[in-house]
Amino acid sequence: MNYVTIDTEADPNSVTFPSTMKQKDLGKLLVKELLDIGIEDAEMDEWGYVYATIHATKGSENVPVVCFCAHMDTAPDCSGKDVKPILHKNYDGNPITLPDDSTQIITTDRHPYLKEKIGDDVITASGLTLLGADDKAGVACIMDYANFMMNNPGFEHGKVRILFTPDEEVGRGVDHIDMDRLNADYGYTLDGGTLGSIEDESFSADAVEITIHGISAHPGYAKNKLVNAIKVAADFVDQLPKKSWSPETTSGREGFVHPTSVSGIMEKMTVSFIIRDHDTSKLAEYESQLKKILDETVAKYPGVNSDFKVKEQYRNMKEVIKDVPFVTDNAIEAMKRAGIEPNPVIIRGGTDGSRLSFMGLPCPNLFTGEMGIHSKHEYVSVQDMQKAVKTMAHLTVIWKENV
Ligand SMILES: [Zn+2]
């Protein structure tokens, strides 16, 4: 509840790193708290990453180094300024009217998972902001677990690395991670939702930018000369499949080709796409079909040219994790030992773990209980967070057992 009062909203339009310097305010507090509990090497680097080490206990030096990671920033979709967290002890199942804006009412109808949290202590914001449980719930779980480890010298464990990152919400969370400095073998992000959820399979993702060059002329004297790129772009978008290929027509393991923006002028139009599939090889198929549609459209307009640029965004972390399945299996076993039913989920999106996995740190995502994220209705159950901490403790034990 303290961490969410510190404004760490990220800014997608910023060119600095971190995108907002206020994210470092939370980083500074975390470093101080880590130092206070006796973690001597806790530090924040110039980019705002917080690194800390809990050393292996005697005889456990050969256990793989496991990193627990959470992000400190909050989503720009909803204000993160002056967050006032409210603790609803022993939640009774009734609609929660947020006091600072009585039109903001959290109900179990709109949030079915909340019905399962009756009897739990639930934290919400006050109606004017998001809560920031995404991902300060993850931060709090890791801090609580660090505190537990430092205060229980009898608890035997391998080396644990702690990593807090800025700017996850604007897709730059791993841009400046120093993997040598991190020096961990396997990782877990704590940034998932419902109790027991574990995500080790994400989309593979490309971006495509299409530019259509029309032929400009003075409109008063344009007969048989002007070819309006706006109309060519509209024709092109109209040629896309209407019953498939889109986020609005796909689910589960189906991928999509999704136009996200159209901009430009009569002379030159740009159409941006995101391409997604769990099977990376399908991306190239989508791209060649998209290019074919573009070429066929443009061919109808003599003199018009087009460019087609593909940019890789991230890849399905399963491609890495399938070779080290014990990373996921250990987490599933840890949940079972903590009395939680594991629930593997396929992400229709990406996480920092997707990119971390390809940077050499296989990194599934574990639940924290954060729900209704990026909105004023965001909430989190304290008991879910406690179970995430329990899961981390069992996980640490299992890594040591399996050496
Ligand atoms: Zn998050």
Side-chain angles (χ1 to χ4, degrees):
M1 289 181 72
N2 186 22
Y3 300 156
V4 298
T5 62
I6 299 168
D7 179 4
T8 58
E9 187 175 327
D11 176 3
N13 300 316
S14 162
V15 294
T16 64
F17 197 99
S19 67
T20 51
M21 291 305 145
K22 59 194 177 186
Q23 294 179 53
K24 288 188 171 179
D25 296 344
L26 178 56
K28 271 181 219 151
L29 173 67
L30 295 172
V31 168
K32 182 185 175 300
E33 290 187 357
L34 290 164
L35 291 170
D36 284 349
I37 60 173
I39 301 180
E40 287 160 3
D41 72 348
E43 58 183 343
M44 178 168 62
D45 71 6
E46 56 178 314
W47 307 108
Y49 292 87
V50 174
Y51 299 86
T53 310
I54 300 172
H55 295 289
T57 51
K58 228 181 159 86
S60 300
E61 294 84 357
N62 57 341
V63 178
V65 179
V66 173
C67 171
F68 291 111
C69 171
H71 66 90
M72 297 180 285
D73 60 309
T74 63
D77 315 58
C78 185
S79 172
K81 191 174 183 294
D82 299 325
V83 174
K84 284 194 269 166
I86 301 168
L87 177 65
H88 307 263
K89 281 209 154 191
N90 191 9
Y91 172 59
D92 59 9
N94 289 322
I96 301 172
T97 303
L98 299 177
D100 291 340
D101 177 356
S102 58
T103 67
Q104 297 293 336
I105 303 169
I106 307 177
T107 64
T108 52
D109 278 352
R110 270 190 63 186
H111 300 274
Y113 181 71
L114 187 57
K115 208 180 283 177
E116 298 172 32
K117 300 297 118 181
I118 293 173
D120 279 12
D121 303 324
V122 172
I123 303 171
T124 68
S126 66
L128 301 178
T129 64
L130 49 62
L131 173 62
D134 174 12
D135 184 24
K136 287 161 185 173
V139 172
C141 290
I142 294 170
M143 291 298 285
D144 192 39
Y145 183 47
N147 189 44
F148 167 82
M149 292 181 94
M150 295 305 289
N151 285 294
N152 286 275
F155 179 73
E156 292 180 12
H157 56 80
K159 181 167 151 183
V160 168
R161 285 287 273 160
I162 291 170
L163 173 66
F164 297 125
T165 61
D167 281 339
E168 189 267 357
E169 298 289 2
V170 290
R172 300 171 205 157
V174 302
D175 283 7
H176 291 281
I177 291 184
D178 183 338
M179 296 306 281
D180 293 328
R181 184 178 201 160
L182 183 62
N183 198 14
D185 298 310
Y186 303 101
Y188 298 93
T189 49
L190 278 113
D191 194 18
T194 58
L195 178 65
S197 62
I198 171 163
E199 303 165 328
D200 71 352
E201 190 167 351
S202 62
F203 268 147
S204 282
D206 280 351
V208 170
E209 192 178 278
I210 286 166
T211 311
I212 296 168
H213 304 273
I215 301 167
S216 147
H218 185 295
Y221 310 93
K223 190 168 183 186
N224 298 327
K225 286 188 200 137
L226 185 147
V227 186
N228 191 332
I230 298 171
K231 292 182 180 173
V232 181
D235 186 3
F236 162 62
V237 173
D238 194 45
Q239 302 303 318
L240 298 173
K242 302 214 166 35
K243 297 216 166 101
S244 59
W245 259 41
S246 315
E248 63 269 31
T249 59
T250 51
S251 63
R253 283 181 195 276
E254 296 168 311
F256 56 73
V257 175
H258 178 42
T260 54
S261 88
V262 176
S263 62
I265 53 173
M266 167 187 75
E267 192 182 14
K268 186 174 115 179
M269 288 293 290
T270 303
V271 188
S272 302
F273 283 82
I274 59 171
I275 318 277
R276 300 288 186 264
D277 204 283
H278 292 98
D279 179 352
T280 305
S281 68
K282 287 232 179 104
L283 298 180
E285 287 175 33
Y286 287 131
E287 285 149 14
S288 77
Q289 284 180 61
L290 186 63
K291 176 132 194 342
K292 190 163 166 264
I293 295 170
L294 174 69
D295 290 345
E296 284 172 2
T297 308
V298 167
K300 294 192 274 181
Y301 303 89
V304 172
N305 299 309
S306 62
D307 307 322
F308 188 94
K309 270 191 230 139
V310 178
K311 191 175 159 235
E312 179 176 322
Q313 292 184 309
Y314 56 84
R315 291 293 177 254
N316 184 348
M317 62 171 124
K318 192 76 174 184
E319 288 176 18
V320 174
I321 293 173
K322 72 172 175 11
D323 297 328
V324 284
F326 47 86
V327 180
T328 301
D329 295 346
N330 286 357
I332 286 174
E333 174 62 19
M335 287 185 202
K336 287 180 184 160
R337 289 191 193 180
I340 300 159
E341 193 181 329
N343 176 27
V345 180
I346 306 161
I347 320 172
R348 285 179 64 79
T351 70
D352 271 355
S354 312
R355 284 173 65 196
L356 280 170
S357 294
F358 284 89
M359 289 162 75
L361 190 79
C363 198
N365 188 32
L366 304 180
F367 74 92
T368 65
E370 64 195 49
M371 297 298 291
I373 58 173
H374 302 195
S375 82
K376 291 173 184 171
H377 286 194
E378 192 178 10
Y379 66 91
V380 65
S381 150
V382 174
Q383 283 73 13
D384 279 1
M385 291 169 66
Q386 288 169 342
K387 284 172 189 156
V389 177
K390 258 192 187 167
T391 300
M392 280 190 271
H394 283 286
L395 191 46
T396 306
V397 171
I398 292 165
W399 275 101
K400 182 175 151 50
E401 284 174 6
N402 290 353
V403 169

